[in-house]
Amino acid sequence: MSVDPREVCDVSHQSSPNRKTTDAAAATGSRLDSYVDRYATRTHGMTASEVRSLFAVASRPEVVSLAGGMPNISGLPLDVVGSLVHELVDKRGMTALQYGSGQGDPTLREQICEVMRPVGIAAHPDDVTVTVGSQQALDLVTRIFIDPGDVILAEAPSYVGALGTFRSYQANVVHVEMDDDGLVPARLREAIATVRASGSAIKFLYTIPSYHNPAGVTLTPQRRAEILEICRHADVLVIEDDPYGLLGFDGEVPRALRADDAEQVIYLGSFSKTFAPGFRVGWALAPHAVREKLVLAAENSVLCPPAFSQLAVSDYLAGHDWLAQVKDFREAYRERRDAMLESLDDLMPAGAQWTKPTGGFYVWLTLPEGIDAKAMLPRAVTNRVAYVPGTAFFADGFGSRSMRLSYCYPTPERIREGVRRLAQVIEQEMELRATFGAWAATRRPGLDGPAPDQS
């Protein structure tokens, strides 16, 4: 049961050992949050994501978590990382532990241009802005482009972290349909025409074209060209989020949208998936005029990104075969992907469908007709398996029959066990529905309190 903090609770009939406290509470209306009238309007859309809310449950050792997208860094050479950090402090500590440049370390920006070459991007370091993870880059881009009520086009489903950022800046998200080949060009044309006909302003299209989070699909080369042409013709800016582009399993590296349009596309990248998330280093590659605004927004936000993390990543790129390390990560994730798909093939009941990713971290599973993934989650957690309900990845409440399954972190054995437990829960839900009908399938006796994804 949820409580609106703006509601007033009548405590006049209650006794209290501290009369002054009670009188003070009565004077302020006994609000659960006495600051509620002071917050900016945009805070009303700030809610905890369903992914973050699951962590407390999913982190229990007895629960197989197929929920979070935590990179598996067990293959990272910690001795190498430890040595470079030690040497960084020993030889350049006075620089590494000091304030740095608002745009980011110049050497790292040059190296980022090299990191982007495998996806086809030729860029100049002056157009790169280093950020605290690509999430900050996404926040900065949204801040400089979005006024309340502006429209952002985004794939359906879309990355939950992006939806939270868009909501915080009071944007209206209009979803555009995807299929197994990624964003559907015809649906994009329709969405642009519909929004424009309503008189609303479209500020940009947000897309993860390679190894999508959460859908696991990849935009085909033919569609990439078509999507770019549609956006050029309609003068719609494209925000390309590409944290997984180097993590393909078939040896092919998808060509970035930014590689074919330097003016219409702002490209976001990250070292969280190809090195280590703990350093929190990402970047935005943008046209020169936009880059100026990004640097100003970044300085207003954090003054400067952490120099230590940037120099550590720079030393890693300079002194270690980082491409070979990425290859090792790809092989580890491929093994886990295979375990996931094989288990789904073997164990899922009839009527369930899922994507077959060729890279990245995620599978998108659609349940048999009539099964609600969010309503089923408490039973799944009771059965010691966790996932993220599909509704977390939509701004409009859709996705109730779907869920995101992550294979990046658990071992193959744990993945198989997790899918086995999940299949049992789905079969139980199907039996419950068949016996008692749709209403009974949503009832959870003894679970009147908040569900695990709401706590």
Side-chain angles (χ1 to χ4, degrees):
M1 180 179 66
S2 62
V3 179
D4 188 334
R6 290 167 288 186
E7 291 181 354
V8 176
C9 302
D10 182 4
V11 297
S12 59
H13 65 285
Q14 298 174 354
S15 60
S16 170
N18 189 333
R19 183 66 183 180
K20 288 185 178 180
T21 301
T22 303
D23 291 345
T28 60
S30 300
R31 297 180 185 275
L32 297 179
D33 183 350
S34 61
Y35 298 95
V36 69
D37 292 329
R38 308 182 192 187
Y39 295 137
T41 303
R42 62 180 174 273
T43 65
H44 295 168
M46 291 182 175
T47 57
S49 76
E50 296 188 44
V51 178
R52 191 182 70 184
S53 299
L54 272 170
F55 279 170
V57 172
S59 61
R60 297 174 186 170
E62 71 273 14
V63 175
V64 177
S65 175
L66 305 177
M70 191 163 58
N72 192 312
I73 58 173
S74 60
L76 193 68
L78 295 183
D79 56 338
V80 171
V81 177
S83 295
L84 72 85
V85 169
H86 173 80
E87 189 170 341
L88 175 61
V89 174
D90 186 47
K91 294 185 177 180
R92 292 196 291 162
M94 295 300 290
T95 299
L97 299 177
Q98 188 53 270
Y99 288 123
S101 163
Q103 188 177 349
D105 177 69
T107 300
L108 178 59
R109 287 190 278 116
E110 292 177 3
Q111 292 168 311
I112 286 171
C113 290
E114 293 302 312
V115 170
M116 292 187 290
R117 287 192 183 278
V119 297
I121 294 176
H124 194 281
D126 285 351
D127 293 328
V128 174
T129 301
V130 183
T131 57
V132 183
S134 62
Q135 184 68 28
Q136 190 203 20
L138 181 60
D139 181 271
L140 297 176
V141 167
T142 308
R143 184 188 309 179
I144 66 175
F145 280 107
I146 294 299
D147 290 316
D150 285 342
V151 169
I152 296 172
L153 303 178
E155 294 141 332
S158 196
Y159 168 50
V160 64
L163 295 179
T165 296
F166 302 156
R167 189 183 304 116
S168 72
Y169 287 101
Q170 298 172 281
N172 292 327
V173 174
V174 173
H175 283 300
V176 183
E177 181 184 345
M178 301 173 71
D179 60 19
D180 288 342
D181 292 326
L183 189 66
V184 180
R187 302 290 86 81
L188 177 60
R189 286 194 186 92
E190 292 172 3
I192 292 172
T194 300
V195 173
R196 293 265 168 86
S198 72
S200 297
I202 300 173
K203 285 300 179 72
F204 55 77
L205 165 68
Y206 172 75
T207 178
I208 305 176
S210 300
Y211 317 126
H212 189 269
N213 176 7
V217 301
T218 296
L219 191 65
T220 63
Q222 296 79 9
R223 285 194 180 179
R224 288 175 190 247
E226 191 171 359
I227 294 298
L228 281 176
E229 181 56 34
I230 291 170
C231 291
R232 286 191 203 104
H233 184 263
D235 195 24
V236 172
L237 183 68
V238 178
I239 309 301
E240 179 180 16
D241 200 353
D242 192 28
Y244 310 101
L246 297 180
L247 296 177
F249 304 144
D250 57 8
E252 295 292 327
V253 178
R255 185 173 175 84
L257 298 173
R258 170 57 175 74
D260 295 314
D261 197 324
E263 293 301 316
Q264 202 74 26
V265 181
I266 295 175
Y267 180 90
L268 310 183
S270 173
F271 289 106
S272 292
K273 312 302 188 295
T274 56
F275 179 26
F279 284 109
R280 303 306 300 135
V281 176
W283 70 90
L285 173 65
H288 187 78
V290 176
R291 187 224 57 195
E292 288 294 314
K293 290 288 192 296
L294 287 174
V295 173
L296 291 174
E299 289 175 343
N300 290 337
S301 176
V302 296
L303 187 60
C304 64
F308 184 86
S309 294
Q310 291 184 45
L311 295 181
V313 172
S314 178
D315 286 355
Y316 171 79
L317 295 172
H320 186 66
D321 189 349
W322 66 271
L323 275 174
Q325 184 61 55
V326 170
K327 182 180 179 181
D328 290 344
F329 284 144
R330 286 202 306 263
E331 293 303 315
Y333 294 136
R334 185 212 305 267
E335 181 184 19
R336 286 161 169 78
R337 186 277 314 263
D338 290 346
M340 173 74 76
L341 294 182
E342 290 166 4
S343 300
L344 291 171
D345 283 335
D346 292 341
L347 299 169
M348 278 295 122
Q353 298 177 312
W354 53 91
T355 57
K356 296 175 173 58
T358 57
F361 286 6
Y362 305 108
V363 167
W364 184 252
L365 174 69
T366 300
L367 296 166
E369 190 71 38
I371 306 300
D372 187 312
K374 188 168 184 176
M376 188 179 74
L377 184 58
R379 189 185 295 276
V381 172
T382 300
N383 209 45
R384 295 171 298 142
V385 61
Y387 57 83
V388 185
T391 50
F393 305 98
F394 288 82
D396 50 16
F398 282 83
S400 61
R401 275 185 60 201
S402 299
M403 64 177 68
R404 189 190 74 178
L405 301 178
S406 172
Y407 53 78
C408 52
Y409 190 76
T411 63
E413 292 73 27
R414 290 280 283 176
I415 289 171
R416 294 185 183 97
E417 176 60 19
V419 173
R420 185 190 69 79
R421 295 177 187 179
L422 179 60
Q424 287 181 341
V425 174
I426 295 172
E427 289 171 353
Q428 291 168 2
E429 293 290 301
M430 294 173 68
E431 292 172 2
L432 185 64
R433 180 179 175 84
T435 303
F436 298 105
W439 177 85
T442 65
R443 305 297 294 172
R444 294 293 178 272
L447 290 174
D448 294 332
D453 61 320
Q454 297 170 325
S455 58

